[in-house]
Amino acid sequence: MLSLSHNTHIAEELTQETFFKALKKVDDFRGDCDLRVWLCQISKNTYYDYLKKNKKYAPEMQEETEDIFTSDLLQNFSDKETAF
């Protein structure tokens, strides 16, 4: 989130919102994909919702941002997994 928003406060708020949404919908997780991928998708959608709500949405950047965002999040999760 921080790499996309470039704002610590916004990144923290969106991360908190992401986990809140995930906890509310954990029963809907089908297991078709890795849990990290599911969380990344929720996180990405939360970020897009934030952009739309604040009229900072750039449709032409969506695909590029999506690829970077998913890559960054998966790398971050992988780094934390190896730390344990």
Side-chain angles (χ1 to χ4, degrees), residues 14-70:
L14 293 176
T15 300
Q16 182 177 6
E17 188 173 342
T18 296
F19 280 98
F20 179 72
K21 288 178 179 180
L23 285 173
K24 281 178 44 177
K25 295 292 186 175
V26 73
D27 291 335
D28 294 339
F29 179 64
R30 296 184 309 253
D32 294 343
C33 62
D34 190 65
L35 183 62
R36 292 176 291 182
V37 173
W38 184 68
L39 283 172
C40 285
Q41 187 67 32
I42 294 170
S43 185
K44 179 185 71 172
N45 289 336
T46 301
Y47 179 69
Y48 288 151
D49 290 344
Y50 164 79
L51 292 177
K52 288 178 198 175
K53 181 180 175 185
N54 292 289
K55 296 183 175 39
K56 296 180 181 179
Y57 185 67
E60 64 277 0
M61 296 290 289
Q62 182 175 357
E63 252 183 67
E64 181 180 318
T65 303
E66 181 177 318
D67 293 341
I68 293 168
F69 181 69
T70 303

